[in-house]
């Protein structure tokens, strides 16, 4: 409302000035011509009103545009030289940002207001990244994203050092004359990188958290009053950024708490499944093995003991179903606390290639393209080869089954040095997972495919958690699915060495693809 009132007032003053200027010009020329006529011709050319009206209209039509242009120029460049001096805009902006907690929304609002409303040539926000100790541009107006996203200012930056010392706005032209030519050149380069002529510090509790970097649209520098208004606004902006940082920390803490709660729930599930698995091992696994064995013996003796073909089909069904049931119990027995596994040095590239090779026939038959990418270097990792192969095989098989025929599976393996973790990403071009089922994919016995046990992804998750890793899924119906495994790099420990220890009451069956 205030902005609208100011614009109307400026428009009224400009029109009044144009009218006054035209009246002065017409009166001047009228007086001049009348004086010349009396002085040299002794006659009154303007005794009639009609010539006065005609000549006045002619002068107004000829002089209106030049006069209007001159008045507008003086209003813009002298009286109201720039909208930047409009303190009400900065006051309204300061009030708006005090209610915003999202940092991205906050920075975008600020730079867009400076660029579009206050009409500066370029505006950017530089903020401290505490994880790296450097200052980075987080949002900008009038700068190319490909340029400002790469900018970093560390402890060696002279501009940052001066902001910490003076804690006042720094203007390029006034500043460089106070230093030697080497330091002046460094300052000019840093101002040029920011594409700014005025850098306003963001100070909160005597700490430099960033800066607002501005470049005026004209070649002229900002007035002292404008710089002062920027600095006053920066004080309010610093508080807003501090609030947004606290909000981000709180949100991150909540996410970590949710992760801990989820891990606790998975741990409780693991304990329950482990107890259940031990009971199943004694009560179900051994009888299933015996039934399957007896059925296979009868099938082998069908040449010696003739019986109906229907009986043979029944025996084959018994062997098939008991094998499927035994495979389920074998997966459940992985969680028995009485089992330990040896750790060995694992090459992820070799492991992934060998695991994908197990599915090469099915992939070729279904016309599925597998694209593998390894970002080297990838350090050696210590774990159990059999467990990792089963976890990865479950993911690859899940991706292939999700596609069906004619699709693409993308596999990415890389090492993140920043947090010392190895990342495996498996993406497929299948139909994706509905939002309702997305939270259930790691639940035991949950499956949407007929004939599947629903234990593959659950087993994979438990294996990953056993190594203190994490597994996440991203998917939208009709857009494919991506599974992301992150495993922390651990050095070889003595605890993991030694032979596999098994419960003697649990027979070790043959490995099979889940």
């Amino acid at each position: 409302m205030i902005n609208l009132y100011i614009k109307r007032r400026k428009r009224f003053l400009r029109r009044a000035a144009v009218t006054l200027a035209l009246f002065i010009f017409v009166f001047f020329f009228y007086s001049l011509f009348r004086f010349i006529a009396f002085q040299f011709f002794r006659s009154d050319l303007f005794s009639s009103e009609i010539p006065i009206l005609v000549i006045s209209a002619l002068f107004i039509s000829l002089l209106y545009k030049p006069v209007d242009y001159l008045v507008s120029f003086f209003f813009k460049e002298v009286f109201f030289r720039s909208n930047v001096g409009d303190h009400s805009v900065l006051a309204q902006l300061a009030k708006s940002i005090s209610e915003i907690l999202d940092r991205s929304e906050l920075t975008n609002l600020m730079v867009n207001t400076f660029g579009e409303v206050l009409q500066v040539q370029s505006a950017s926000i530089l903020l401290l990244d505490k994880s790296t100790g450097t200052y980075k541009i987080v949002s900008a107006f009038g700068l190319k994203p490909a340029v400002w996203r790469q900018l970093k200012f560390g402890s060696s930056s002279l501009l940052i050092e001066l902001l910490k010392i003076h804690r006042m706005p720094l203007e390029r032209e006034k500043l460089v004359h106070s230093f030697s030519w080497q330091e002046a050149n460094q300052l000019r380069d840093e101002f040029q990188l920011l594409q700014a002529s005025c850098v306003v510090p963001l100070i909160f509790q005597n700490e430099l958290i960033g800066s607002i970097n501005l470049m005026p649209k004209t070649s002229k520098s900002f007035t002292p009053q404008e710089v002062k208004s920027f600095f006053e606004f920066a004080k309010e902006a610093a508080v807003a950024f501090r609030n947004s940082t606290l909000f981000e920390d709180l949100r991150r803490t909540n996410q970590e708490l949710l992760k801990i709660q989820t891990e606790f729930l998975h741990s409780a599930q693991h304990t329950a499944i482990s107890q259940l698995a031990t009971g199943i091992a004694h009560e179900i696994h051994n009888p299933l093995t015996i039934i399957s064995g007896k059925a296979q013996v009868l099938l082998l003796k069908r040449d010696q003991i003739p019986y109906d073909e229907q009986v043979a089909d029944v025996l084959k069904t018994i062997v098939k179903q008991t094998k499927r049931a035994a495979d389920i119990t074998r997966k459940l027995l992985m969680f028995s606390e009485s089992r330990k596994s040896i750790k060995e040095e694992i090459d992820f590239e070799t492991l992934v290639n060998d695991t994908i090779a197990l599915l090469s026939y099915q992939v070729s038959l279904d016309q599925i393209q597998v694209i593998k990418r390894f970002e080297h270097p990838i350090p050696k990792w210590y774990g159990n080869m059999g467990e990792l192969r089963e976890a990865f095989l479950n993911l690859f098989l899940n991706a292939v089954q999700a596609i069906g025929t004619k699709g693409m599976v993308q596999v990415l393996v890389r090492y993140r040095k920043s947090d010392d973790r190895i990342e495996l990403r498996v993406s497929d071009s299948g139909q994706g997972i509905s939002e309702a089922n997305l939270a259930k994919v790691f639940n035991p016995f949950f499956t949407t495919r007929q004939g599947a046990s629903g234990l593959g992804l659950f087993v994979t998750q438990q294996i990953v958690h056993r190594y203190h890793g994490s597994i996440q899924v991203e998917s939208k119906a009709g857009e494919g699915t991506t599974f992301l495994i992150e495993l922390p790099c651990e050095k070889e420990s003595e605890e993991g060495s030694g032979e596999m220890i098994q419960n003697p009451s649990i027979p070790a069956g043959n490995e099979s693809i889940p």
Side-chain angles (χ1 to χ4, degrees):
M1 195 67 185
I2 296 176
N3 287 340
L4 183 61
Y5 169 74
I6 292 174
K7 289 181 179 179
R8 287 178 177 176
R9 187 180 65 177
K10 289 180 180 179
R11 193 180 302 118
F12 172 78
L13 291 174
R14 186 173 65 84
R15 289 177 179 175
V18 171
T19 303
L20 179 61
L22 288 174
F23 175 79
I24 293 173
F25 274 115
V26 171
F27 182 77
F28 171 76
F29 284 111
Y30 164 77
S31 302
L32 179 64
F33 288 152
R34 191 170 187 180
F35 172 78
I36 293 173
F38 272 111
Q39 186 72 23
F40 297 100
F41 301 102
R42 302 294 178 181
S43 64
D44 188 1
L45 297 177
F46 300 100
S47 58
S48 175
E49 295 179 354
I50 295 178
I52 296 176
L53 293 175
V54 171
I55 294 176
S56 298
L58 178 63
F59 272 109
I60 290 173
S61 62
L62 292 174
L63 295 175
Y64 178 78
K65 284 190 176 180
V67 171
D68 183 64
Y69 174 79
L70 288 173
V71 171
S72 298
F73 176 80
F74 275 98
F75 264 66
K76 185 176 180 181
E77 301 297 331
V78 179
F79 301 112
F80 303 98
R81 190 174 69 83
S82 173
N83 285 336
V84 172
D86 191 349
H87 301 282
S88 63
V89 174
L90 290 178
Q92 291 179 9
L93 179 59
K95 183 178 179 180
S96 299
I97 63 176
S98 64
E99 302 172 356
I100 299 175
L101 294 176
D102 184 83
R103 195 179 75 169
S104 177
E105 182 182 352
L106 177 63
T107 55
N108 289 337
L109 175 62
M110 287 176 58
V111 297
N112 288 333
T113 301
F114 274 102
E116 297 175 359
V117 180
L118 302 181
Q119 298 181 357
V120 299
Q121 181 176 329
S122 65
S124 61
I125 305 295
L126 197 72
L127 289 181
L128 174 63
D129 184 354
K130 290 188 176 181
S131 62
T132 60
T134 59
Y135 291 84
K136 300 178 182 178
I137 293 181
V138 294
S139 186
F141 176 91
L143 279 70
K144 294 182 180 179
V147 176
W148 64 259
R149 284 175 180 162
Q150 304 298 325
L151 292 180
K152 293 181 182 179
F153 293 85
S155 57
S156 61
S157 169
L158 181 57
L159 182 61
I160 297 298
E161 185 178 348
L162 291 174
L163 287 173
K164 290 181 179 179
I165 295 173
H166 296 288
R167 301 180 183 179
M168 294 291 290
L170 302 179
E171 297 180 76
R172 180 181 56 194
E173 300 307 323
K174 295 180 180 179
L175 191 65
V176 294
H177 299 299
S178 306
F179 294 89
S180 63
W181 68 270
Q182 296 97 333
E183 293 176 331
N185 286 337
Q186 182 180 347
L187 280 173
R188 285 194 183 95
D189 292 341
E190 292 181 353
F191 272 103
Q192 182 62 33
L193 288 174
L194 292 172
Q195 295 187 28
S197 65
C198 179
V199 176
V200 186
L202 295 167
I203 306 292
F204 184 82
Q205 293 183 348
N206 297 324
E207 180 186 1
L208 178 69
I209 64 173
S211 65
I212 303 174
N213 318 299
L214 303 169
M215 174 72 79
K217 220 164 195 180
T218 62
S219 58
K220 300 179 182 179
S221 59
F222 294 114
T223 64
Q225 185 63 28
E226 290 171 345
V227 175
K228 182 180 178 182
S229 64
F230 295 154
F231 189 42
E232 293 299 323
F233 168 76
K235 295 177 182 178
E236 301 293 332
V239 176
F241 279 121
R242 179 60 178 173
N243 292 339
S244 69
T245 301
L246 293 175
F247 176 73
E248 289 294 332
D249 292 342
L250 180 60
R251 183 164 59 182
R252 193 180 304 110
T253 302
N254 286 337
Q255 290 176 347
E256 292 175 357
L257 179 60
L258 180 61
K259 182 179 179 181
I260 292 173
Q261 291 175 337
T262 304
E263 290 176 353
F264 178 77
L265 177 61
H266 289 157
S267 177
Q269 290 178 340
H270 178 208
T271 302
I273 294 295
S274 176
Q275 295 173 354
L276 178 63
T278 303
I280 290 176
H282 292 285
E283 302 297 334
I284 298 179
H285 191 86
N286 289 340
L288 285 175
T289 304
I290 294 172
I291 293 171
S292 177
K294 295 295 184 181
Q296 292 181 53
V297 169
L298 291 175
L299 285 173
L300 291 174
K301 291 184 177 181
R302 61 182 175 181
D303 294 334
Q304 303 174 9
I305 305 174
Y307 46 76
D308 190 81
E309 187 66 27
Q310 187 176 2
V311 176
D313 292 338
V314 171
L315 291 174
K316 291 178 182 179
T317 301
I318 291 174
V319 172
K320 180 180 178 181
Q321 296 302 324
T322 52
K323 183 180 179 181
R324 177 169 175 262
D327 188 50
I328 293 175
T329 59
R330 179 188 62 80
K331 290 179 180 179
L332 291 175
L333 289 172
M334 292 181 60
F335 310 107
S336 175
E337 294 181 355
S338 61
R339 301 183 65 189
K340 296 182 180 179
S341 58
I342 60 172
K343 287 185 177 182
E344 55 187 310
E345 188 179 79
I346 295 176
D347 182 352
F348 263 76
E349 184 171 357
T350 302
L351 176 61
V352 170
N353 285 330
D354 291 347
T355 307
I356 293 177
L358 297 175
L359 300 174
S360 58
Y361 176 75
Q362 181 176 348
V363 166
S364 176
L365 191 66
D366 295 334
Q367 300 180 15
I368 295 174
Q369 183 182 8
V370 179
I371 299 177
K372 296 174 290 184
R373 183 158 65 93
F374 302 93
E375 294 185 2
H376 297 283
I378 302 173
K380 301 296 182 181
W381 191 82
Y382 290 92
N384 183 267
M385 180 73 76
E387 290 179 346
L388 264 293
R389 181 181 290 111
E390 179 160 7
F392 293 173
L393 184 60
N394 286 339
L395 284 187
F396 300 149
L397 186 60
N398 186 79
V400 170
Q401 292 173 344
I403 293 172
T405 58
K406 295 182 179 180
M408 179 186 298
V409 176
Q410 299 184 61
V411 181
L412 169 65
V413 180
R414 65 172 182 170
Y415 170 64
R416 297 205 309 262
K417 189 176 180 180
S418 59
D419 53 1
D420 196 28
R421 299 174 83 87
I422 294 178
E423 175 185 312
L424 171 71
R425 189 181 296 267
V426 181
S427 304
D428 65 66
S429 60
Q431 294 300 312
I433 304 172
S434 66
E435 187 175 353
N437 292 333
L438 196 60
K440 306 176 185 178
V441 293
F442 296 113
N443 291 349
F445 305 109
F446 174 78
T447 181
T448 57
R449 286 192 290 270
Q450 188 175 2
S453 64
L455 283 172
L457 293 177
F458 175 69
V459 168
T460 299
Q461 184 192 54
Q462 297 305 315
I463 292 174
V464 170
H465 286 173
R466 186 176 300 170
Y467 291 102
H468 308 291
S470 64
I471 180 170
Q472 301 172 11
V473 57
E474 299 175 359
S475 181
K476 289 184 179 180
E479 298 182 10
T481 303
T482 297
F483 283 92
L484 174 63
I485 289 180
E486 296 178 350
L487 294 169
C489 291
E490 298 178 357
K491 294 182 179 180
E492 185 179 14
S493 61
E494 295 180 0
E495 182 181 354
S497 61
E499 295 296 328
M500 179 83 73
I501 301 174
Q502 291 193 135
N503 189 325
S505 65
I506 303 174
N510 296 329
E511 295 289 330
S512 62
I513 298 176

